[in-house]
Amino acid sequence: MSSHKDLSKLTAAGLLISLGIIYGDIGTSPLYVFKAIVGPQHISEVLVLGGASLIIWTLTLQTTLKYVVITLRADNKGEGGIFSLFSLVRRRSKWLIVPAVIGGCALLADGIITPPITISSAIEGLQTSFPQIHTVPIVIAIMVALFIIQQFGTSLVGKAFGPMMFVWFTMIGVLGIFYIVQDLTIFKALNPYYAFMLLTSNVPGAHPLIIIGAVFLCTTGAEALYSDLGHTGRRNIQISWIYVKTSLIFNYLGQSVWLLQHSGQKMDLNLHNPFYELMPPWFLTYGIGIATIAAIIASQALISGSFTLIAEAVRLNLWPKVRINYPTIQKGQLYVPSVNWLLCAGCIGVILLFKHSDHMEAAYGLSITVAMLMTTILVSHFLRRKKVPNYIVNIFLVVYLLIEGTFLTGNLVKFVHGGWFTLSIGFCLFAIMWTWHTARKIRNRYVKFINIDDYFGILKELSDDETVPKYASQLVYLTSANFDSEIESKIIYSILQKQPKRADVYWLVHVDVVDEPYKKEYEVNFLVPNKLIRVDFKLGFRIEQQINLLFRRVVEDLVKKGEVDITSTYKSLNKHKIVGDFRFVVIEKVISRSHNLSFYESFVMSFYALLKKLSLSEERGFGLDLSFVTVEKVPLMLTPPDTVEIHRIG
């Protein structure tokens, strides 16, 4: 994992890893892009040269300029991705939460459609030699195996990704060159005039919007360049892109030559995929094998990216708390079981629903276009934050809103043919994120904070009052109060009234999720010496919130420095220097019935209650040892008592 200072560091290992982790999705696009452009039409020079020109200039403007040159500079201490970008700009405008959530949901939806279409496109190459073979069972078997291995971590597999993708890009480049040398005039496709001519001329059966939607497929992996920025660093991604883009262009031009050799014909491109037609017959089996491996790697990168996206959403309170495992010691390696099996079910559903890659193409591209539009909006705010002149920012915004708006329009044509599927998935994900975010704001509106210094005296007296049974030697509360001068009224109620809880020392622990992804700091404030201590953790949004372990480390440091004494005060234990017990109290705020909420807010809170039941509990979410935790459920009094009318009759 590269640090912020390593973003511009160029290494051979970094270049190789970039090929394996970053470029899988874009790298496998030659499997299906030209096939989608040509479709059932008669092959013509205008269609082929125009399609190749559109691909080349889309890769140049969309991937190279927007992502490789501009967006990669919007790093958050070395990390990329739409939620990292949101963390950089969210203080400028609160409404930016909307494009961030929409973009995140679109990327997750893309993670459900991309693995099936990529692996299906590779396996369907077998139909070139075996037309009767059923590819669906093979694709499902590969897909299930891919999701099963996620729980073991991908660090060892990941080391092989780079060399394998190097073989892939070398192969597709060489195959393309073999056909290019047969017709060097194909370089005419570098001229954008042919792209313009295809979109404006009346090519029989070639609708401009359908062609635009098909061309967009060549750049759907561009978001991965930014999302995986932290894996290898900006410089490695930029340099390796030169090799990747060259190989892709050679292959697309090679496919163009093959298509021109069959000009005037109308053929079944499911049986004659231009990509596989570049391969000599003796190499076809090897080529399909390499393509399948490349497709699996591309799928693996998207699955891992989905895990990272959900983990960041949890830390930013945009997603319910879910179990996050760390299968290896390698930084950045994580596994989210619930997301893994949801993605698995979704991918299998896609395969069973659409069956063939050409049918999946109708559902592919629509959601990722939305994600790209949202990234454009957020990047424009980042550029303004960096004091880039307004006219440059405005040019960037207009150009890419126009380009991506055109792609969106082209992909909207696919809605009734399958685009509805990914949009429906994205909408469901958006409903979850938006509900979780909005419900938290509603709950916080009714949390009452009081001045903690008003209770210093009584807390000290309670601690020294031996007539009250001791609840714990060290009593720890998790607090959401941002300032050390405040505390939730419910915590004071829990200590003093619900069941008086006497302790030698009261601890308040606050967790602040900060915008720096890997920050791990803490601050200690002795509110009442030896009686009331507050610990504030500042953790990056990519740091696992293992509060149990982090708090223990803090206490150990304080004991070593002689700032606290955690020895039991019981005489029999004290003389043997036995450490006193620790107990965490987690107060779970339960929404009570209220007439103060609007219909919209009531609906949100009802949906939130359902999500809460399905999510990880607070104590598990903070990584607490359940044998030392007490959970107290308290109602949030949404309806003040003085608003309730009742008359005494006796």
Side-chain angles (χ1 to χ4, degrees):
M1 184 70 66
S2 60
S3 64
H4 182 53
K5 64 182 179 181
D6 291 333
L7 278 178
S8 298
K9 187 176 180 180
L10 187 64
T11 64
L15 290 172
L16 202 58
I17 293 172
S18 292
L19 293 179
I21 297 178
I22 310 296
Y23 291 114
D25 197 6
I26 290 180
T28 53
S29 61
L31 286 166
Y32 45 80
V33 171
F34 236 130
K35 188 177 74 167
I37 292 173
V38 176
Q41 291 88 254
H42 284 84
I43 300 171
S44 66
E45 184 178 83
V46 173
L47 181 61
V48 173
L49 291 179
S53 184
L54 281 169
I55 291 172
I56 292 169
W57 284 101
T58 296
L59 287 172
T60 300
L61 294 175
Q62 188 69 13
T63 307
T64 305
L65 185 57
K66 179 190 171 182
Y67 283 95
V68 176
V69 176
I70 299 174
T71 306
L72 285 183
R73 299 185 179 279
D75 68 281
N76 186 357
K77 302 298 181 182
E79 294 298 316
I82 196 161
F83 286 138
S84 291
L85 181 56
F86 168 64
S87 297
L88 288 172
V89 300
R90 61 176 170 174
R91 289 190 176 89
R92 293 182 61 89
S93 301
K94 292 183 178 180
W95 68 269
L96 291 176
I97 183 69
V98 177
V101 170
I102 292 175
C105 294
L107 285 170
L108 287 170
D110 183 60
I112 291 177
I113 190 68
T114 298
I117 189 176
T118 305
I119 295 177
S120 294
S121 297
I123 296 300
E124 285 162 11
L126 292 170
Q127 293 178 329
T128 303
S129 300
F130 309 98
Q132 304 303 318
I133 193 171
H134 296 288
T135 60
V136 170
I138 301 174
V139 175
I140 290 178
I142 293 174
M143 197 71 62
V144 171
L146 182 62
F147 282 101
I148 288 175
I149 66 171
Q150 298 304 314
Q151 59 192 306
F152 304 110
T154 57
S155 58
L156 293 177
V157 180
K159 293 177 182 177
F161 284 2
M164 288 180 179
M165 290 306 291
F166 177 76
V167 171
W168 165 258
F169 285 117
T170 301
M171 181 191 80
I172 65 174
V174 170
L175 289 174
I177 291 172
F178 180 77
Y179 270 82
I180 290 172
V181 296
Q182 298 178 29
D183 184 4
L184 293 178
T185 61
I186 196 63
F187 283 107
K188 292 188 296 184
L190 296 176
N191 189 339
Y193 165 76
Y194 290 97
F196 176 78
M197 187 168 63
L198 174 60
L199 295 178
T200 56
S201 60
N202 187 19
V203 178
H207 194 285
L209 289 180
I210 294 177
I211 291 175
I212 287 172
V215 169
F216 177 76
L217 298 177
C218 76
T219 189
T220 52
E223 280 286 338
L225 311 185
Y226 182 46
S227 298
D228 293 319
L229 173 61
H231 285 91
T232 59
R234 180 194 309 131
R235 191 63 173 161
N236 289 312
I237 294 175
Q238 291 173 331
I239 296 300
S240 58
W241 172 241
I242 297 173
Y243 176 71
V244 170
K245 184 179 178 182
T246 302
S247 298
L248 289 172
I249 290 177
F250 280 163
N251 191 267
Y252 281 123
L253 291 178
Q255 291 187 48
S256 301
V257 172
W258 181 87
L259 287 165
L260 287 176
Q261 291 174 353
H262 298 78
S263 183
Q265 299 182 30
K266 183 178 180 180
M267 59 180 61
D268 186 351
L269 293 183
N270 293 324
L271 299 178
H272 299 281
N273 187 327
F275 176 80
Y276 287 113
E277 293 297 334
L278 300 185
M279 298 179 183
W282 64 267
F283 184 73
L284 185 60
T285 303
Y286 302 103
I288 292 172
I290 296 172
T292 302
I293 293 172
I296 292 172
I297 291 173
S299 301
Q300 171 62 56
L302 276 166
I303 295 168
S304 300
S306 297
F307 294 160
T308 301
L309 200 66
I310 286 294
E312 291 179 0
V314 170
R315 308 292 185 238
L316 294 171
N317 290 304
L318 295 174
W319 190 265
K321 288 184 182 295
V322 292
R323 183 179 300 282
I324 301 174
N325 298 336
Y326 295 82
T328 70
I329 60 174
Q330 183 176 338
K331 193 174 185 180
Q333 285 279 315
L334 52 85
Y335 168 67
V336 186
S338 57
V339 174
N340 184 67
W341 297 116
L342 281 174
L343 285 176
C344 182
C347 289
I348 292 175
V350 168
I351 297 167
L352 294 175
L353 179 64
F354 295 102
K355 292 184 173 59
H356 206 278
S357 63
D358 60 334
H359 300 148
M360 297 177 195
E361 288 162 8
Y364 193 42
L366 187 52
S367 62
I368 199 65
T369 315
V370 174
M372 288 181 172
L373 278 165
M374 300 304 105
T375 298
T376 296
I377 293 170
L378 294 173
V379 168
S380 67
H381 282 267
F382 171 79
L383 294 175
R384 287 196 171 92
R385 177 176 173 267
K386 286 294 184 179
K387 309 300 182 185
V388 173
N390 279 335
Y391 75 93
I392 294 180
V393 176
N394 291 334
I395 290 174
F396 168 83
L397 195 58
V398 170
V399 168
Y400 284 99
L401 286 180
L402 182 62
I403 292 174
E404 290 161 358
T406 303
F407 281 133
L408 179 61
T409 303
N411 280 295
L412 282 174
V413 177
K414 302 178 179 181
F415 180 81
V416 294
H417 302 290
W420 59 268
F421 181 83
T422 49
L423 281 190
S424 298
I425 296 294
F427 178 78
C428 292
L429 294 170
F430 179 84
I432 294 173
M433 285 196 186
W434 192 254
T435 296
W436 199 259
H437 170 73
T438 305
R440 182 171 177 269
K441 291 173 64 177
I442 294 172
R443 291 170 71 248
N444 288 343
R445 199 166 71 208
Y446 293 99
V447 174
K448 182 181 179 183
F449 294 97
I450 55 179
N451 292 326
I452 193 171
D453 54 2
D454 293 340
Y455 296 88
F456 286 169
I458 191 170
L459 288 174
K460 188 176 186 307
E461 290 177 17
L462 176 61
S463 178
D464 296 333
D465 187 355
E466 295 186 358
T467 64
V468 179
K470 185 178 291 187
Y471 190 80
S473 296
Q474 311 288 325
L475 189 56
V476 187
Y477 279 87
L478 297 176
T479 176
S480 60
N482 293 320
F483 306 104
D484 56 17
S485 60
E486 295 179 338
I487 191 172
E488 294 98 318
S489 60
K490 298 302 180 183
I491 292 181
I492 292 297
Y493 172 80
S494 171
I495 295 175
L496 301 181
Q497 293 176 275
K498 184 169 186 178
Q499 175 191 349
K501 297 178 177 64
R502 185 164 73 90
D504 296 331
V505 180
Y506 297 95
W507 298 79
L508 299 175
V509 174
H510 176 70
V511 179
D512 184 19
V513 179
V514 298
D515 293 339
E516 295 183 22
Y518 292 103
K519 189 171 188 177
K520 290 174 69 174
E521 295 178 355
Y522 74 91
E523 184 179 349
V524 180
N525 192 347
F526 296 89
L527 300 174
V528 178
N530 300 317
K531 291 298 179 187
L532 183 60
I533 305 171
R534 174 172 166 132
V535 180
D536 285 271
F537 288 104
K538 296 184 183 299
L539 304 178
F541 60 85
R542 284 201 175 182
I543 295 295
E544 183 181 7
Q545 294 180 8
Q546 297 176 304
I547 302 305
N548 193 56
L549 298 178
L550 293 172
F551 179 71
R552 182 184 299 177
R553 177 61 184 273
V554 169
V555 173
E556 288 176 354
D557 289 345
L558 294 176
V559 170
K560 287 179 182 178
K561 295 176 182 178
E563 296 181 72
V564 297
D565 182 6
I566 59 173
T567 307
S568 175
T569 57
Y570 292 113
K571 292 181 181 180
S572 58
L573 300 180
N574 185 267
K575 68 178 182 179
H576 295 288
K577 304 298 182 184
I578 302 297
V579 173
D581 65 309
F582 281 78
R583 176 152 292 276
F584 285 82
V585 177
V586 175
I587 295 182
E588 185 177 341
K589 305 174 185 70
V590 181
I591 302 295
S592 56
R593 291 181 176 271
S594 172
H595 300 292
N596 289 339
L597 295 179
S598 65
F599 174 79
Y600 166 70
E601 290 180 330
S602 296
F603 177 79
V604 166
M605 297 312 297
S606 297
F607 190 23
Y608 170 79
L610 175 62
L611 294 175
K612 187 77 172 173
K613 290 179 181 178
L614 299 174
S615 68
L616 211 60
S617 63
E618 290 287 327
E619 59 273 18
R620 291 182 181 273
F622 282 113
L624 300 179
D625 186 340
L626 299 185
S627 60
F628 300 102
V629 174
T630 298
V631 178
E632 292 186 356
K633 294 187 177 182
V634 297
L636 284 176
M637 298 298 293
L638 301 185
T639 304
D642 56 7
T643 64
V644 179
E645 294 186 3
I646 188 168
H647 302 283
R648 180 174 176 176
I649 59 175

